Amino acid sequence: MLERAVRVAREAGCSPVVVVVGAHHVQVLGSNVLGDAVPVINDEWEEGMASSIRLGVRALAFAARDAEGVLLMTCDQPAVTAKHLLRLMMRAEVKASRYAGKNGVPAFFPARYFEKLTELEGDTGARELLAQARYEELENGELDVDTVEDLKRARELFG
């Protein structure tokens, strides 16, 4: 799933691709699935999503000082496509994916939001910043692969 997420981000033109890994970083980094993505180890992964966002945005700002924005995504949403990511990045505005009646990730934030993103805390991630954002519908976006049953459903839907 991680390899696919990196590939889809690349297909959408994201560069560099920064991947934040946490609890299983030894296995991930040893598996060679990242390609040329920039790996960042999150030792504070137990805090939740905000710690990964903070680290990823800081790493992006360091690796690409002229970055126009950041596309936040997880690796376990099989409905995400490069076309969807491109639609999120079309204008320099905060734009969320919408599924199950709510805004969520993947989401794009222009560079002017980097400071706010590096101040996030807890496990809600950027949810508050996305609540009133424009959005692109993401059919089946609510499916994230956390269990064997989720994987089976993803295979039924996406092959």
Side-chain angles (χ1 to χ4, degrees):
M1 299 277 315
L2 180 55
E3 185 175 35
R4 180 191 181 280
V6 170
R7 179 177 42 77
V8 168
R10 282 271 181 235
E11 288 171 1
C14 297
S15 180
V17 174
V18 175
V19 176
V20 180
V21 293
H24 304 288
H25 69 273
V26 173
Q27 295 93 322
V28 172
L29 297 177
S31 68
N32 201 26
V33 299
L34 297 182
D36 64 349
V38 177
V40 178
I41 298 171
N42 181 3
D43 292 328
E44 298 176 4
W45 59 270
E46 290 178 338
E47 177 191 332
M49 187 73 73
S51 64
S52 292
I53 293 171
R54 288 194 310 264
L55 277 171
V57 170
R58 287 180 187 138
L60 176 65
F62 180 77
R65 296 185 190 277
D66 60 345
E68 295 176 18
V70 62
L71 180 67
L72 300 180
M73 58 188 288
T74 62
C75 68
D76 63 353
Q77 291 178 288
V80 174
T81 64
K83 284 183 181 182
H84 180 75
L85 299 179
L86 285 166
R87 286 193 303 270
L88 293 175
M89 299 184 293
M90 285 182 78
R91 294 171 35 193
E93 64 183 345
V94 176
K95 202 162 190 189
S97 297
R98 187 162 182 91
Y99 42 87
K102 296 180 183 178
N103 288 356
V105 294
F108 178 78
F109 292 88
R112 66 182 178 273
Y113 281 83
F114 285 9
E115 186 175 343
K116 285 183 181 182
L117 291 168
T118 60
E119 294 171 352
L120 294 174
E121 295 182 359
D123 196 32
T124 59
R127 189 174 300 149
E128 288 181 28
L129 296 175
L130 294 175
Q132 300 302 316
R134 289 179 177 251
Y135 59 85
E136 289 288 333
E137 290 289 341
L138 179 60
E139 187 177 351
N140 295 307
E142 68 280 0
L143 175 61
D144 60 4
V145 178
D146 295 327
T147 66
V148 173
E149 291 80 23
D150 295 338
L151 181 58
K152 181 180 177 187
R153 174 86 173 124
R155 287 183 174 148
E156 289 170 359
L157 287 171
F158 306 108

